[in-house]
Amino acid sequence: MTGSVATGSRIMGAAASDLKRLTLELGGNDAAIVRADCDPVKTAPKIFAGAFANSGQVCCAIKRCYVHESIYDKFCEEMVKVAKTKKVGD
């Protein structure tokens, strides 16, 4: 099952009475690690897509970025450029 912690708790409680086997995916904390040797211009669009594909509502959506300090400012600039090209809403 995939869902929130509250939903997972209810499912686990229902399954516990007769020890059903189950696996719960409760919204992971998927991180992107951006190393110093990457190209921020090429990487930013990929990170953006990984975070916002399907409105970010997939269990493997990137939820946070760890960016090497030597490219942090450039990477942030590139992420802003990518975000400004996207349409929000209808």
Side-chain angles (χ1 to χ4, degrees):
M1 297 298 296
T2 302
S4 67
V5 173
T7 300
S9 293
R10 289 177 37 204
I11 292 169
M12 182 66 78
S17 64
D18 59 358
L19 300 176
K20 286 184 178 71
R21 292 177 183 254
L22 64 114
T23 301
L24 300 171
E25 203 309 306
L26 304 175
N29 285 309
D30 305 297
I33 299 172
V34 184
R35 296 170 21 142
D37 61 349
C38 86
D39 178 352
V41 175
K42 292 181 181 177
T43 305
K46 295 174 183 177
I47 298 290
F48 191 93
F52 292 99
N54 195 37
S55 299
Q57 297 186 34
V58 290
C59 61
C60 61
I62 296 170
K63 294 167 186 68
R64 61 191 187 284
C65 293
Y66 295 109
V67 182
H68 193 275
E69 64 186 348
S70 67
I71 62 164
Y72 178 82
D73 291 335
K74 178 65 175 167
F75 181 79
C76 288
E77 289 173 21
E78 293 303 319
M79 287 292 282
V80 169
K81 286 180 187 176
V82 173
K84 285 183 176 182
T85 69
K86 303 304 177 189
K87 181 180 177 185
V88 178
D90 295 333

